[in-house]
Amino acid sequence: MEILIWSAGLPLPLLFMVFIALCFIPLEVFSVVSRRFDPKDRTNDNIGRASLAFLSSAFIFVGAFTIITSWNEDARLHAAGEHEVVAAQMLMREVRQLAPTDSTVRLALGAYVEAVLQHETGKGGVLTPSNEAEDAFGVLESTAVDVSERPGTDSYRAGEVLDSINDLKLARQERVGELGNTIALPLVALLLVMAALNLAGLGLFPSGTSRGLKRTYTFVVAVAVASMLTSVVLLESVQFISPGLSLPLESLVSELGADGA
């Protein structure tokens, strides 16, 4: 995954141009090799057409599968983040019904949300679970339990508060579990191998006399390959994922602030 982490830090136009340049390396290398072929010898045309058709189809399939997998991973992570926010809102609703004047849970929840925002939404460039957020959740859980166990509290409402904090805990575990679900390295490696084989095949075949047409076609293919690789990096980048995680939490912070005003 190091190549994805490194490339995700580049501006998209620059990243696209880097991929274009890398695509032309196998094209030029194998094109130089093909110049040794007799331009009048067309006996390999059938092999060339069959090979390119297979390689192109395989690359398109692997590329489409990789992009769809990346998109689905992002969607699951964003859905898990939104589910956690909803669980936090439900907790506050139950606490307000149990102890309308209590502010301890609201303050603890605000501290937890701020810790998640700062350390688990990619603002620091990394999407990983953090000890700061885990500690803040521990304080929130203890505070909610303390409120529910105060003498004279309604047992039914206290039970609802405990259920809500448990739901929030499960929602956190779900979201944290999705943070590590980055696309498998073998799948990215397979995509790169298929791209290299496809470009090498274009460099070799066809070995006809119209090298201008061949170069134009290979340029178009290089652009398509670079576009697909750039799309994968974009979908796996923190810059793309972070806003979808941060916005619901920022909205919750504003809501908690309004409750305390």
Side-chain angles (χ1 to χ4, degrees), residues 1 4-5 7-8 66-74 125 127 179-184 188 229-241:
M1 302 311 310
L4 286 178
I5 296 173
S7 56
T66 306
I67 290 174
I68 291 172
T69 301
S70 302
W71 184 269
N72 287 338
E73 285 183 353
D74 296 338
L127 275 172
L179 289 178
N181 289 343
T182 53
I183 192 169
V188 176
L229 294 174
T230 303
S231 298
V232 172
V233 173
L234 172 63
L235 290 172
E236 289 292 311
S237 67
V238 173
Q239 292 86 345
F240 180 81
I241 298 173

PDB file of all heavy atoms in Angstrom, residues 1 4-5 7-8 66-74 125 127 179-184 188 229-241:
ATOM      1  N   MET A   1       0.805  -1.197   0.000  1.00  0.00           N
ATOM      2  CA  MET A   1       0.000   0.000   0.000  1.00  0.00           C
ATOM      3  C   MET A   1       0.850   1.264   0.000  1.00  0.00           C
ATOM      4  O   MET A   1       0.319   2.352  -0.086  1.00  0.00           O
ATOM      5  CB  MET A   1      -0.922   0.034   1.224  1.00  0.00           C
ATOM      6  CG  MET A   1      -1.879  -1.149   1.379  1.00  0.00           C
ATOM      7  SD  MET A   1      -2.849  -1.630  -0.027  1.00  0.00           S
ATOM      8  CE  MET A   1      -3.602  -0.273  -0.651  1.00  0.00           C
ATOM      9  N   LEU A   4       0.274   3.593  -2.912  1.00  0.00           N
ATOM     10  CA  LEU A   4      -0.973   4.332  -2.843  1.00  0.00           C
ATOM     11  C   LEU A   4      -0.857   5.511  -1.884  1.00  0.00           C
ATOM     12  O   LEU A   4      -1.341   6.607  -2.171  1.00  0.00           O
ATOM     13  CB  LEU A   4      -2.109   3.408  -2.405  1.00  0.00           C
ATOM     14  CG  LEU A   4      -2.634   2.414  -3.442  1.00  0.00           C
ATOM     15  CD1 LEU A   4      -3.722   1.548  -2.825  1.00  0.00           C
ATOM     16  CD2 LEU A   4      -3.163   3.122  -4.675  1.00  0.00           C
ATOM     17  N   ILE A   5      -0.224   5.268  -0.725  1.00  0.00           N
ATOM     18  CA  ILE A   5      -0.064   6.341   0.256  1.00  0.00           C
ATOM     19  C   ILE A   5       0.786   7.465  -0.322  1.00  0.00           C
ATOM     20  O   ILE A   5       0.484   8.651  -0.176  1.00  0.00           O
ATOM     21  CB  ILE A   5       0.571   5.788   1.544  1.00  0.00           C
ATOM     22  CG1 ILE A   5      -0.380   4.773   2.203  1.00  0.00           C
ATOM     23  CG2 ILE A   5       0.888   6.914   2.518  1.00  0.00           C
ATOM     24  CD1 ILE A   5       0.231   4.058   3.385  1.00  0.00           C
ATOM     25  N   SER A   7       1.414   8.147  -3.604  1.00  0.00           N
ATOM     26  CA  SER A   7       0.799   8.797  -4.764  1.00  0.00           C
ATOM     27  C   SER A   7      -0.418   9.626  -4.372  1.00  0.00           C
ATOM     28  O   SER A   7      -0.732  10.616  -5.041  1.00  0.00           O
ATOM     29  CB  SER A   7       0.402   7.747  -5.815  1.00  0.00           C
ATOM     30  OG  SER A   7      -0.453   6.769  -5.248  1.00  0.00           O
ATOM     31  N   ALA A   8      -1.106   9.233  -3.281  1.00  0.00           N
ATOM     32  CA  ALA A   8      -2.291   9.985  -2.864  1.00  0.00           C
ATOM     33  C   ALA A   8      -1.933  11.389  -2.398  1.00  0.00           C
ATOM     34  O   ALA A   8      -2.791  12.267  -2.367  1.00  0.00           O
ATOM     35  CB  ALA A   8      -3.025   9.239  -1.759  1.00  0.00           C
ATOM     36  N   THR A  66     -11.560  -3.247  -9.473  1.00  0.00           N
ATOM     37  CA  THR A  66     -10.801  -2.515  -8.449  1.00  0.00           C
ATOM     38  C   THR A  66     -11.479  -1.198  -8.089  1.00  0.00           C
ATOM     39  O   THR A  66     -11.584  -0.833  -6.912  1.00  0.00           O
ATOM     40  CB  THR A  66      -9.371  -2.243  -8.945  1.00  0.00           C
ATOM     41  OG1 THR A  66      -8.766  -3.467  -9.344  1.00  0.00           O
ATOM     42  CG2 THR A  66      -8.525  -1.616  -7.844  1.00  0.00           C
ATOM     43  N   ILE A  67     -11.948  -0.472  -9.097  1.00  0.00           N
ATOM     44  CA  ILE A  67     -12.624   0.805  -8.853  1.00  0.00           C
ATOM     45  C   ILE A  67     -13.923   0.587  -8.082  1.00  0.00           C
ATOM     46  O   ILE A  67     -14.217   1.306  -7.111  1.00  0.00           O
ATOM     47  CB  ILE A  67     -12.896   1.522 -10.191  1.00  0.00           C
ATOM     48  CG1 ILE A  67     -11.575   2.011 -10.799  1.00  0.00           C
ATOM     49  CG2 ILE A  67     -13.848   2.695  -9.990  1.00  0.00           C
ATOM     50  CD1 ILE A  67     -11.718   2.604 -12.178  1.00  0.00           C
ATOM     51  N   ILE A  68     -14.703  -0.415  -8.468  1.00  0.00           N
ATOM     52  CA  ILE A  68     -15.966  -0.688  -7.770  1.00  0.00           C
ATOM     53  C   ILE A  68     -15.699  -1.102  -6.321  1.00  0.00           C
ATOM     54  O   ILE A  68     -16.398  -0.675  -5.394  1.00  0.00           O
ATOM     55  CB  ILE A  68     -16.757  -1.771  -8.515  1.00  0.00           C
ATOM     56  CG1 ILE A  68     -17.252  -1.224  -9.855  1.00  0.00           C
ATOM     57  CG2 ILE A  68     -17.943  -2.257  -7.681  1.00  0.00           C
ATOM     58  CD1 ILE A  68     -17.879  -2.273 -10.756  1.00  0.00           C
ATOM     59  N   THR A  69     -14.669  -1.932  -6.119  1.00  0.00           N
ATOM     60  CA  THR A  69     -14.326  -2.358  -4.759  1.00  0.00           C
ATOM     61  C   THR A  69     -13.922  -1.153  -3.906  1.00  0.00           C
ATOM     62  O   THR A  69     -14.344  -1.027  -2.743  1.00  0.00           O
ATOM     63  CB  THR A  69     -13.178  -3.378  -4.795  1.00  0.00           C
ATOM     64  OG1 THR A  69     -13.574  -4.514  -5.566  1.00  0.00           O
ATOM     65  CG2 THR A  69     -12.817  -3.841  -3.394  1.00  0.00           C
ATOM     66  N   SER A  70     -13.121  -0.264  -4.461  1.00  0.00           N
ATOM     67  CA  SER A  70     -12.704   0.933  -3.730  1.00  0.00           C
ATOM     68  C   SER A  70     -13.906   1.811  -3.390  1.00  0.00           C
ATOM     69  O   SER A  70     -14.018   2.333  -2.274  1.00  0.00           O
ATOM     70  CB  SER A  70     -11.693   1.732  -4.560  1.00  0.00           C
ATOM     71  OG  SER A  70     -10.565   0.959  -4.875  1.00  0.00           O
ATOM     72  N   TRP A  71     -14.795   1.981  -4.343  1.00  0.00           N
ATOM     73  CA  TRP A  71     -15.983   2.814  -4.121  1.00  0.00           C
ATOM     74  C   TRP A  71     -16.863   2.225  -3.029  1.00  0.00           C
ATOM     75  O   TRP A  71     -17.366   2.944  -2.162  1.00  0.00           O
ATOM     76  CB  TRP A  71     -16.775   2.934  -5.417  1.00  0.00           C
ATOM     77  CG  TRP A  71     -17.962   3.843  -5.302  1.00  0.00           C
ATOM     78  CD1 TRP A  71     -19.242   3.484  -4.949  1.00  0.00           C
ATOM     79  CD2 TRP A  71     -17.987   5.258  -5.506  1.00  0.00           C
ATOM     80  NE1 TRP A  71     -20.058   4.591  -4.925  1.00  0.00           N
ATOM     81  CE2 TRP A  71     -19.317   5.681  -5.271  1.00  0.00           C
ATOM     82  CE3 TRP A  71     -17.022   6.191  -5.881  1.00  0.00           C
ATOM     83  CZ2 TRP A  71     -19.685   7.025  -5.390  1.00  0.00           C
ATOM     84  CZ3 TRP A  71     -17.410   7.519  -6.006  1.00  0.00           C
ATOM     85  CH2 TRP A  71     -18.715   7.920  -5.764  1.00  0.00           C
ATOM     86  N   ASN A  72     -17.048   0.907  -3.050  1.00  0.00           N
ATOM     87  CA  ASN A  72     -17.871   0.255  -2.033  1.00  0.00           C
ATOM     88  C   ASN A  72     -17.247   0.374  -0.643  1.00  0.00           C
ATOM     89  O   ASN A  72     -17.962   0.543   0.361  1.00  0.00           O
ATOM     90  CB  ASN A  72     -18.079  -1.219  -2.388  1.00  0.00           C
ATOM     91  CG  ASN A  72     -19.024  -1.397  -3.548  1.00  0.00           C
ATOM     92  OD1 ASN A  72     -19.831  -0.524  -3.856  1.00  0.00           O
ATOM     93  ND2 ASN A  72     -18.946  -2.532  -4.219  1.00  0.00           N
ATOM     94  N   GLU A  73     -15.920   0.284  -0.568  1.00  0.00           N
ATOM     95  CA  GLU A  73     -15.247   0.448   0.721  1.00  0.00           C
ATOM     96  C   GLU A  73     -15.489   1.850   1.282  1.00  0.00           C
ATOM     97  O   GLU A  73     -15.772   2.022   2.474  1.00  0.00           O
ATOM     98  CB  GLU A  73     -13.744   0.201   0.568  1.00  0.00           C
ATOM     99  CG  GLU A  73     -13.372  -1.266   0.417  1.00  0.00           C
ATOM    100  CD  GLU A  73     -11.871  -1.460   0.333  1.00  0.00           C
ATOM    101  OE1 GLU A  73     -11.147  -0.453   0.254  1.00  0.00           O
ATOM    102  OE2 GLU A  73     -11.436  -2.619   0.342  1.00  0.00           O
ATOM    103  N   ASP A  74     -15.377   2.852   0.419  1.00  0.00           N
ATOM    104  CA  ASP A  74     -15.627   4.225   0.861  1.00  0.00           C
ATOM    105  C   ASP A  74     -17.068   4.394   1.334  1.00  0.00           C
ATOM    106  O   ASP A  74     -17.337   5.049   2.350  1.00  0.00           O
ATOM    107  CB  ASP A  74     -15.338   5.205  -0.276  1.00  0.00           C
ATOM    108  CG  ASP A  74     -13.878   5.203  -0.691  1.00  0.00           C
ATOM    109  OD1 ASP A  74     -13.042   4.787   0.135  1.00  0.00           O
ATOM    110  OD2 ASP A  74     -13.581   5.592  -1.827  1.00  0.00           O
ATOM    111  N   GLY A 125      -3.804  13.076   7.917  1.00  0.00           N
ATOM    112  CA  GLY A 125      -3.252  12.372   6.767  1.00  0.00           C
ATOM    113  C   GLY A 125      -3.294  10.863   6.875  1.00  0.00           C
ATOM    114  O   GLY A 125      -2.905  10.172   5.935  1.00  0.00           O
ATOM    115  N   LEU A 127      -5.748   7.403   8.206  1.00  0.00           N
ATOM    116  CA  LEU A 127      -7.034   6.889   8.662  1.00  0.00           C
ATOM    117  C   LEU A 127      -6.798   5.639   9.503  1.00  0.00           C
ATOM    118  O   LEU A 127      -6.773   4.521   8.987  1.00  0.00           O
ATOM    119  CB  LEU A 127      -7.932   6.558   7.474  1.00  0.00           C
ATOM    120  CG  LEU A 127      -8.743   7.709   6.877  1.00  0.00           C
ATOM    121  CD1 LEU A 127      -9.414   7.263   5.588  1.00  0.00           C
ATOM    122  CD2 LEU A 127      -9.787   8.209   7.861  1.00  0.00           C
ATOM    123  N   LEU A 179     -12.068   1.320   9.049  1.00  0.00           N
ATOM    124  CA  LEU A 179     -10.883   2.141   8.783  1.00  0.00           C
ATOM    125  C   LEU A 179      -9.749   1.313   8.194  1.00  0.00           C
ATOM    126  O   LEU A 179      -8.929   1.821   7.429  1.00  0.00           O
ATOM    127  CB  LEU A 179     -10.403   2.812  10.079  1.00  0.00           C
ATOM    128  CG  LEU A 179     -11.276   3.924  10.646  1.00  0.00           C
ATOM    129  CD1 LEU A 179     -10.694   4.441  11.954  1.00  0.00           C
ATOM    130  CD2 LEU A 179     -11.439   5.063   9.652  1.00  0.00           C
ATOM    131  N   GLY A 180      -9.671   0.039   8.567  1.00  0.00           N
ATOM    132  CA  GLY A 180      -8.588  -0.806   8.076  1.00  0.00           C
ATOM    133  C   GLY A 180      -8.910  -1.547   6.806  1.00  0.00           C
ATOM    134  O   GLY A 180      -8.072  -2.296   6.291  1.00  0.00           O
ATOM    135  N   ASN A 181     -10.117  -1.340   6.245  1.00  0.00           N
ATOM    136  CA  ASN A 181     -10.519  -2.093   5.059  1.00  0.00           C
ATOM    137  C   ASN A 181     -10.064  -1.397   3.775  1.00  0.00           C
ATOM    138  O   ASN A 181     -10.868  -0.965   2.955  1.00  0.00           O
ATOM    139  CB  ASN A 181     -12.040  -2.278   5.040  1.00  0.00           C
ATOM    140  CG  ASN A 181     -12.512  -3.244   6.091  1.00  0.00           C
ATOM    141  OD1 ASN A 181     -11.727  -4.010   6.617  1.00  0.00           O
ATOM    142  ND2 ASN A 181     -13.795  -3.212   6.394  1.00  0.00           N
ATOM    143  N   THR A 182      -8.759  -1.259   3.613  1.00  0.00           N
ATOM    144  CA  THR A 182      -8.229  -0.724   2.366  1.00  0.00           C
ATOM    145  C   THR A 182      -8.135  -1.839   1.342  1.00  0.00           C
ATOM    146  O   THR A 182      -8.043  -3.018   1.686  1.00  0.00           O
ATOM    147  CB  THR A 182      -6.839  -0.107   2.571  1.00  0.00           C
ATOM    148  OG1 THR A 182      -5.995  -1.072   3.213  1.00  0.00           O
ATOM    149  CG2 THR A 182      -6.933   1.134   3.450  1.00  0.00           C
ATOM    150  N   ILE A 183      -8.179  -1.459   0.099  1.00  0.00           N
ATOM    151  CA  ILE A 183      -8.192  -2.443  -0.980  1.00  0.00           C
ATOM    152  C   ILE A 183      -6.943  -3.325  -0.919  1.00  0.00           C
ATOM    153  O   ILE A 183      -5.856  -2.855  -0.601  1.00  0.00           O
ATOM    154  CB  ILE A 183      -8.308  -1.730  -2.349  1.00  0.00           C
ATOM    155  CG1 ILE A 183      -8.609  -2.728  -3.450  1.00  0.00           C
ATOM    156  CG2 ILE A 183      -7.068  -0.943  -2.650  1.00  0.00           C
ATOM    157  CD1 ILE A 183      -8.996  -2.058  -4.742  1.00  0.00           C
ATOM    158  N   ALA A 184      -7.119  -4.594  -1.187  1.00  0.00           N
ATOM    159  CA  ALA A 184      -6.035  -5.563  -1.037  1.00  0.00           C
ATOM    160  C   ALA A 184      -4.883  -5.250  -1.988  1.00  0.00           C
ATOM    161  O   ALA A 184      -5.094  -4.941  -3.160  1.00  0.00           O
ATOM    162  CB  ALA A 184      -6.551  -6.971  -1.290  1.00  0.00           C
ATOM    163  N   VAL A 188      -4.321  -4.494  -6.376  1.00  0.00           N
ATOM    164  CA  VAL A 188      -3.632  -3.361  -7.005  1.00  0.00           C
ATOM    165  C   VAL A 188      -2.451  -3.859  -7.831  1.00  0.00           C
ATOM    166  O   VAL A 188      -2.210  -3.384  -8.955  1.00  0.00           O
ATOM    167  CB  VAL A 188      -3.157  -2.359  -5.941  1.00  0.00           C
ATOM    168  CG1 VAL A 188      -2.357  -1.229  -6.582  1.00  0.00           C
ATOM    169  CG2 VAL A 188      -4.329  -1.792  -5.172  1.00  0.00           C
ATOM    170  N   LEU A 229      -5.875   4.164 -13.256  1.00  0.00           N
ATOM    171  CA  LEU A 229      -4.993   4.108 -12.089  1.00  0.00           C
ATOM    172  C   LEU A 229      -5.191   5.329 -11.182  1.00  0.00           C
ATOM    173  O   LEU A 229      -5.185   5.215  -9.955  1.00  0.00           O
ATOM    174  CB  LEU A 229      -3.535   4.017 -12.544  1.00  0.00           C
ATOM    175  CG  LEU A 229      -3.149   2.729 -13.279  1.00  0.00           C
ATOM    176  CD1 LEU A 229      -1.717   2.830 -13.791  1.00  0.00           C
ATOM    177  CD2 LEU A 229      -3.295   1.515 -12.380  1.00  0.00           C
ATOM    178  N   THR A 230      -5.385   6.497 -11.790  1.00  0.00           N
ATOM    179  CA  THR A 230      -5.628   7.710 -11.004  1.00  0.00           C
ATOM    180  C   THR A 230      -6.933   7.602 -10.229  1.00  0.00           C
ATOM    181  O   THR A 230      -7.028   8.040  -9.077  1.00  0.00           O
ATOM    182  CB  THR A 230      -5.663   8.943 -11.922  1.00  0.00           C
ATOM    183  OG1 THR A 230      -4.435   9.029 -12.665  1.00  0.00           O
ATOM    184  CG2 THR A 230      -5.845  10.220 -11.118  1.00  0.00           C
ATOM    185  N   SER A 231      -7.943   7.002 -10.842  1.00  0.00           N
ATOM    186  CA  SER A 231      -9.228   6.824 -10.171  1.00  0.00           C
ATOM    187  C   SER A 231      -9.089   5.953  -8.934  1.00  0.00           C
ATOM    188  O   SER A 231      -9.678   6.243  -7.883  1.00  0.00           O
ATOM    189  CB  SER A 231     -10.248   6.204 -11.136  1.00  0.00           C
ATOM    190  OG  SER A 231     -10.484   7.045 -12.243  1.00  0.00           O
ATOM    191  N   VAL A 232      -8.312   4.877  -9.044  1.00  0.00           N
ATOM    192  CA  VAL A 232      -8.112   3.989  -7.897  1.00  0.00           C
ATOM    193  C   VAL A 232      -7.424   4.735  -6.758  1.00  0.00           C
ATOM    194  O   VAL A 232      -7.831   4.642  -5.590  1.00  0.00           O
ATOM    195  CB  VAL A 232      -7.295   2.746  -8.308  1.00  0.00           C
ATOM    196  CG1 VAL A 232      -6.921   1.915  -7.077  1.00  0.00           C
ATOM    197  CG2 VAL A 232      -8.081   1.901  -9.295  1.00  0.00           C
ATOM    198  N   VAL A 233      -6.375   5.481  -7.084  1.00  0.00           N
ATOM    199  CA  VAL A 233      -5.657   6.237  -6.053  1.00  0.00           C
ATOM    200  C   VAL A 233      -6.569   7.272  -5.408  1.00  0.00           C
ATOM    201  O   VAL A 233      -6.556   7.462  -4.182  1.00  0.00           O
ATOM    202  CB  VAL A 233      -4.410   6.911  -6.653  1.00  0.00           C
ATOM    203  CG1 VAL A 233      -3.755   7.828  -5.631  1.00  0.00           C
ATOM    204  CG2 VAL A 233      -3.410   5.863  -7.108  1.00  0.00           C
ATOM    205  N   LEU A 234      -7.381   7.951  -6.210  1.00  0.00           N
ATOM    206  CA  LEU A 234      -8.294   8.962  -5.682  1.00  0.00           C
ATOM    207  C   LEU A 234      -9.285   8.346  -4.695  1.00  0.00           C
ATOM    208  O   LEU A 234      -9.502   8.879  -3.602  1.00  0.00           O
ATOM    209  CB  LEU A 234      -9.052   9.633  -6.831  1.00  0.00           C
ATOM    210  CG  LEU A 234     -10.186  10.587  -6.412  1.00  0.00           C
ATOM    211  CD1 LEU A 234      -9.629  11.762  -5.627  1.00  0.00           C
ATOM    212  CD2 LEU A 234     -10.960  11.064  -7.634  1.00  0.00           C
ATOM    213  N   LEU A 235      -9.871   7.210  -5.067  1.00  0.00           N
ATOM    214  CA  LEU A 235     -10.869   6.579  -4.205  1.00  0.00           C
ATOM    215  C   LEU A 235     -10.272   6.059  -2.909  1.00  0.00           C
ATOM    216  O   LEU A 235     -10.979   5.915  -1.906  1.00  0.00           O
ATOM    217  CB  LEU A 235     -11.546   5.437  -4.959  1.00  0.00           C
ATOM    218  CG  LEU A 235     -12.475   5.847  -6.107  1.00  0.00           C
ATOM    219  CD1 LEU A 235     -12.922   4.629  -6.896  1.00  0.00           C
ATOM    220  CD2 LEU A 235     -13.679   6.604  -5.567  1.00  0.00           C
ATOM    221  N   GLU A 236      -8.972   5.765  -2.914  1.00  0.00           N
ATOM    222  CA  GLU A 236      -8.309   5.252  -1.718  1.00  0.00           C
ATOM    223  C   GLU A 236      -7.626   6.356  -0.910  1.00  0.00           C
ATOM    224  O   GLU A 236      -7.059   6.081   0.150  1.00  0.00           O
ATOM    225  CB  GLU A 236      -7.253   4.214  -2.117  1.00  0.00           C
ATOM    226  CG  GLU A 236      -7.836   2.912  -2.623  1.00  0.00           C
ATOM    227  CD  GLU A 236      -8.560   2.131  -1.536  1.00  0.00           C
ATOM    228  OE1 GLU A 236      -7.980   1.950  -0.458  1.00  0.00           O
ATOM    229  OE2 GLU A 236      -9.699   1.708  -1.773  1.00  0.00           O
ATOM    230  N   SER A 237      -7.683   7.605  -1.383  1.00  0.00           N
ATOM    231  CA  SER A 237      -6.938   8.682  -0.739  1.00  0.00           C
ATOM    232  C   SER A 237      -7.695   9.250   0.458  1.00  0.00           C
ATOM    233  O   SER A 237      -8.934   9.284   0.477  1.00  0.00           O
ATOM    234  CB  SER A 237      -6.646   9.810  -1.739  1.00  0.00           C
ATOM    235  OG  SER A 237      -7.851  10.452  -2.124  1.00  0.00           O
ATOM    236  N   VAL A 238      -6.942   9.706   1.444  1.00  0.00           N
ATOM    237  CA  VAL A 238      -7.537  10.327   2.627  1.00  0.00           C
ATOM    238  C   VAL A 238      -8.288  11.592   2.236  1.00  0.00           C
ATOM    239  O   VAL A 238      -9.346  11.907   2.787  1.00  0.00           O
ATOM    240  CB  VAL A 238      -6.445  10.631   3.670  1.00  0.00           C
ATOM    241  CG1 VAL A 238      -7.020  11.443   4.832  1.00  0.00           C
ATOM    242  CG2 VAL A 238      -5.820   9.347   4.182  1.00  0.00           C
ATOM    243  N   GLN A 239      -7.764  12.339   1.281  1.00  0.00           N
ATOM    244  CA  GLN A 239      -8.394  13.591   0.867  1.00  0.00           C
ATOM    245  C   GLN A 239      -9.806  13.365   0.339  1.00  0.00           C
ATOM    246  O   GLN A 239     -10.687  14.215   0.493  1.00  0.00           O
ATOM    247  CB  GLN A 239      -7.558  14.282  -0.213  1.00  0.00           C
ATOM    248  CG  GLN A 239      -6.220  14.800   0.274  1.00  0.00           C
ATOM    249  CD  GLN A 239      -5.127  13.738   0.239  1.00  0.00           C
ATOM    250  OE1 GLN A 239      -5.410  12.552   0.116  1.00  0.00           O
ATOM    251  NE2 GLN A 239      -3.881  14.164   0.335  1.00  0.00           N
ATOM    252  N   PHE A 240     -10.038  12.209  -0.286  1.00  0.00           N
ATOM    253  CA  PHE A 240     -11.356  11.897  -0.829  1.00  0.00           C
ATOM    254  C   PHE A 240     -12.290  11.382   0.266  1.00  0.00           C
ATOM    255  O   PHE A 240     -13.478  11.686   0.283  1.00  0.00           O
ATOM    256  CB  PHE A 240     -11.221  10.848  -1.930  1.00  0.00           C
ATOM    257  CG  PHE A 240     -12.523  10.454  -2.563  1.00  0.00           C
ATOM    258  CD1 PHE A 240     -13.101  11.242  -3.544  1.00  0.00           C
ATOM    259  CD2 PHE A 240     -13.178   9.292  -2.181  1.00  0.00           C
ATOM    260  CE1 PHE A 240     -14.311  10.886  -4.124  1.00  0.00           C
ATOM    261  CE2 PHE A 240     -14.378   8.917  -2.762  1.00  0.00           C
ATOM    262  CZ  PHE A 240     -14.946   9.720  -3.734  1.00  0.00           C
ATOM    263  N   ILE A 241     -11.749  10.595   1.193  1.00  0.00           N
ATOM    264  CA  ILE A 241     -12.564   9.949   2.223  1.00  0.00           C
ATOM    265  C   ILE A 241     -12.893  10.895   3.367  1.00  0.00           C
ATOM    266  O   ILE A 241     -14.001  10.872   3.920  1.00  0.00           O
ATOM    267  CB  ILE A 241     -11.830   8.707   2.754  1.00  0.00           C
ATOM    268  CG1 ILE A 241     -11.623   7.691   1.628  1.00  0.00           C
ATOM    269  CG2 ILE A 241     -12.611   8.064   3.892  1.00  0.00           C
ATOM    270  CD1 ILE A 241     -10.755   6.509   2.021  1.00  0.00           C
TER     271      ILE A 241
END
